[in-house]
Amino acid sequence: MCLCLGALKSGKTLLLKRLQGDEIDDATHTVQTNGINLFTVKNDTGEFDMIIREIGGNMAPIWKHYFDKVYKLIYVVDTSNLCQISAAGVLLYSALVEPRLKNIKIALILNKMDLSYRQMRNEALLMLQFARLKKEITQEISVIETSGITGQGLEDLRNWLFDPYTLQIVKSTKK
């Protein structure tokens, strides 16, 4: 299973709607997730799909109850909100110390890059203490820049979701 976590208003829902193939325009509006949303995302060929469980940021105190059988984690950070980046980092660190997540693959999503200035990527990674994080965790972590509005980075995220290892697992379970 794949989980999508992140702080409040980091853009998880809009990003996953866009990744799922929903039409996004200037009138598209999402509301804060109070609970859980499920999204079905297909690979490029449409041959395989994956269900992603998005858990609202306000549910951070109970995220740990959803960590069973997770092999991928999408963690979304709003790079346009400087005040939230450090708080998002604390939530990320608290999730990564969970023993059930020690062998997962993580996509650290720097979201809302369309609203950020170009240097924001580096500043966000510094605020998250990313260099230190990579040294201290056992998990494989990938950084992907995205925007739910423009669609930037969605193909990179889809390729991360459906990497060869994951496709091999999916193929073996369908037999």
Side-chain angles (χ1 to χ4, degrees), residues 1-4 38 50-55 66-73 104-105:
M1 179 195 333
C2 181
L3 275 184
C4 181
L38 298 176
M50 179 182 298
I51 295 177
I52 300 173
R53 182 184 289 176
E54 175 209 358
I55 304 175
Y66 297 92
F67 290 165
D68 289 329
K69 298 180 182 151
V70 171
Y71 57 91
K72 288 200 169 190
L73 172 67
I104 66 167
K105 291 185 178 189

Side-chain angles (χ1 to χ4, degrees), residues 59-82:
M59 294 180 64
I62 62 169
W63 283 350
K64 63 186 173 198
H65 297 294
Y66 297 92
F67 290 165
D68 289 329
K69 298 180 182 151
V70 171
Y71 57 91
K72 288 200 169 190
L73 172 67
I74 299 170
Y75 192 83
V76 182
V77 177
D78 177 356
T79 59
S80 71
N81 185 344
L82 285 174

